[in-house]
Amino acid sequence: MAAPLSPSAMLATSMHAQPGVYALLLGSGVSTGAGMPTGWGVVNDLVRKVAAQEDSETVDQAQADPESWWQDKHGEPLGYSSLLGSLAPTAAARQGLLAGYFEPTDEEREEGVKTPSKAHQAIAQLVKKGYIKVVITTNFDRLMEQALEAEGVAPQVIARPEAVAGMEPLAHATATVIKLHGDYKDLGSLNTPDELASYPEQWNRLIERVLDDYGLLISGWSADWDTALVALMEASPNRRYPLYWDGRSSRGDTAQRLLAGRRGTVIPAAGADELFTAIASNIEALERLVVPPLTTAMAVARLKRYLPNPVRRIDLHDLVVNATEDVAQGVIDQALSLPGDRGTSLQHVLDGHRERSHLLRTLLVEGVRHDDGVHDRLWMDVFQRLVDVGSVRRLGVPTQVHLERARLYPALLVQAALGTAATYRRRDGLVIKLATQIIGTLDHGVRLRLPAAQIVHPWRVLDADDVNLLPRWGGGRWTYPISRLLKQDTRDVFRDLIPDDAQYAETFHGYEYRMSLIYAVTAEGSDHLYGPMQGEYVGETAWSWQQQDVPLAEIAFREAGELATEWPWIDFLGGESEQDQRLVAHREKLAHFKYHNLR
C-alpha cells in the first residue's frame, strides 16, 4: 500500500489549486513563539502589579485568581477595559503602560524578540501571492500587520465590531486581518473568560461568513477559553472545504470535538514556524512545476529592457539573483563522492556546473556588455554569492578532494565570464574589483579571509593532472589543461558578443594576463598563496619576436592603457613609474611558463 500523502502536502496542494479558498485562524501560540505575551498574560501581570501596590500580602492570591481578587478589591468584574481604564485613563498613558509588553526594545529587536517570526513571514508571503486572503487572529499584537507591510501588502484591518459595516467585502480585498479580540491599544479588547463568552452581533455575522465561505487552517489556538468562537464553529454548516489544525494546539478536548464535528485533519508540526514555512516551501515546489523555465533568449530580452530603466532595478535584481540562486543550489546539491575514475567523476560534476550556469553567465556577459558601470554592485554580489556557497565546508559527508574543490567551479566560470566581458569592453576596473574587493573565507582548521583572486584561484579549484584525465579530451593531454578548459567552457556565452574565434581567444588571453598580474600582487609576501598560473596566454606561440620576446598579451595590455582615458592598473600596480617595472618583472616570471607546465 502506498504511503498516504502528508497533511501538509495535502493542504499545500489544495491551496495551490484554489488560491484564496483557505482562511487562517491564529491564536496566541503563533505570537508567543515570537516572544509576545498573551492578552490574558498581560492582564494577569497588571493585576499582580496592582496587588503589589494596594495589598502586597495578596499578590499570590491575585496571581492565582486575578478575577476574584479584582472583584473583591474593586467591586466590579475584571476586564481588559476596566483594568486599563483604572491604571491609565488616557490613550497616551495606556500606550506607555503597554509598550513594554508589545513593543520590542532595541536589544529585543536585535535578538528577533517581539518581531515577526518565521511563521508571520511565511504567512505574509502566502498572502502576497494570493493563496491566503483572510487572517483571523485572537492576538492583540501587530506582528501580522508588520509582516504583511514588509512584503508590501496593505491589508484592511478590522479590530472592532463597529468596523464590519464599512469594510470592503472579503472577496474583493487584497487581504483582510480580523483582530477578533481587538488591538492591544484598544480599550474594547476582549480577554477574560466572561468577555469571551459571547461576541457582538457584527462579529458573529462576519465570522459565520468566513466559516461558511472558506476552508480553515488553525494554528496556535487551543479552543479552551474562547467559548463564543467555539460555538460559532460548532454551528457553522460549512462542509465544502476542509478544516486543518496544527497538532500542537489541537490536543484539548474542545479542539478534538471540533475536529470530529467538522471531519478536520491534524497537521503534525513542532510549532507555527515549522508549519507555515513547510506549507510555503511545498507551494513553491508546486509553483516551479507549473511555471515554464525562462529561456536564455527571453531572459536576455528582459535584461536589456531592465538595464537602462531605473524604475526596473528591482526587476533586474530579481532576474539575475534568481538565476544565481539556481546555480548556488547546484553547488549545494553537488555530490562530493562518486564512483568511477577521477576523470569521469570530475567531468560529470564540471559539465553539470557549466550547463546549470549557462543562463546566469549569459546574463552577466550581456549585462557588462550594455552597462556603463551603474550595475557593477549587482555583478559583484552574484560573484560573492557563488564564492561563499562554494567555499563553505560540508562537514560529516564522505568527500573526494577533487569534487570538494570543484564546488568553486561555478564561481570560477562566472569570474571568467565577467572578466572576459570586462576586458573586451575595456572595463578593467571591474576586473580588479571582482578579484580584490570580493572577500571570501577558507576553513582549513584556521579560517582565512582572502580576496577572491586567491579563493577562486584556478589552482585551488582544479588540479592540472585531473583536468588532463577528463574523457572530453579523448585521451589527449594539454600543456596548459586548466587554461584550455576555462577558455573552452567560457566560449559558449560569447558567441553573440565575440563571434570570431580568434578574437575571442585574444580577449580571453588578455583576461588571463590581467588575472596573472592580480595573482602576483595578492600573493606578495606569502609562501602559501598562489601567484601567476601558466596558461595558453603565455604559451610558446603567444610571444612576440619583434619586441624582445614580450608576451602578446602584455603588448595588447600596454596598448589598451595608452588608449584609455582612465587606467586603473596604474594605482593597482603602485603608480605610473612603478607600473613599467612591475610589467617587466612580471614578464620574467611568465617566461618560465613558455615551454614548460611549471607552477
Side-chain angles (χ1 to χ4, degrees), residues 361-575:
R361 290 183 291 119
T362 302
L363 290 174
L364 297 175
V365 168
E366 290 297 316
V368 174
R369 175 185 185 179
H370 296 288
D371 184 33
D372 58 2
V374 172
H375 298 97
D376 279 2
R377 185 68 256 173
L378 177 57
W379 321 137
M380 294 173 70
D381 287 345
V382 168
F383 185 40
Q384 179 77 69
R385 169 64 172 144
L386 297 180
V387 169
D388 291 343
V389 76
S391 57
V392 65
R393 294 182 67 189
R394 286 170 56 186
L395 302 176
V397 180
T399 300
Q400 295 171 334
V401 175
H402 63 298
L403 300 186
E404 170 68 29
R405 295 170 63 176
R407 297 176 68 244
L408 277 167
Y409 194 57
L412 184 59
L413 286 175
V414 161
Q415 185 183 34
L418 285 167
T420 304
T423 299
Y424 181 78
R425 290 279 286 114
R426 299 185 178 180
R427 297 277 319 285
D428 285 75
L430 180 57
V431 178
I432 296 173
K433 288 192 292 187
L434 287 165
T436 61
Q437 294 185 18
I438 301 300
I439 305 299
T441 302
L442 290 178
D443 188 350
H444 296 304
V446 177
R447 293 173 62 84
L448 302 175
R449 297 282 289 168
L450 297 171
Q454 291 297 326
I455 297 287
V456 195
H457 193 292
W459 284 342
R460 197 180 299 281
V461 182
L462 299 164
D463 179 85
D465 293 333
D466 287 342
V467 173
N468 259 333
L469 293 175
L470 298 180
R472 66 188 289 175
W473 310 129
R477 295 181 65 84
W478 296 98
T479 305
Y480 310 106
I482 299 177
S483 173
R484 166 64 58 156
L485 177 71
L486 279 176
K487 184 163 66 174
Q488 284 194 2
D489 279 4
T490 304
R491 181 68 178 115
D492 60 343
V493 294
F494 281 92
R495 294 292 178 187
D496 183 45
L497 180 59
I498 314 177
D500 182 75
D501 287 340
Q503 187 180 19
Y504 167 74
E506 181 180 347
T507 304
F508 189 82
H509 291 166
Y511 163 69
E512 285 190 297
Y513 178 80
R514 285 159 171 78
M515 289 305 301
S516 73
L517 288 171
I518 295 174
Y519 296 145
V521 171
T522 56
E524 284 180 351
S526 173
D527 296 331
H528 306 291
L529 300 180
Y530 291 116
M533 65 168 279
Q534 71 270 28
E536 295 185 350
Y537 73 108
V538 286
E540 187 174 356
T541 61
W543 293 69
S544 170
W545 296 100
Q546 287 79 28
Q547 296 191 35
Q548 300 179 347
D549 217 16
V550 178
L552 296 172
E554 181 189 329
I555 295 173
F557 178 83
R558 289 178 179 272
E559 291 174 349
E562 293 171 359
L563 295 172
T565 54
E566 294 183 6
W567 191 238
W569 294 99
I570 293 176
D571 289 339
F572 182 75
L573 296 174

Side-chain angles (χ1 to χ4, degrees), residues 12 122 125-126 129 275-285 287:
Q125 292 164 9
L126 293 172
K129 293 179 179 181
L275 171 65
F276 287 105
T277 53
I279 292 171
S281 177
N282 288 342
I283 289 179
E284 286 178 5
E287 289 173 336

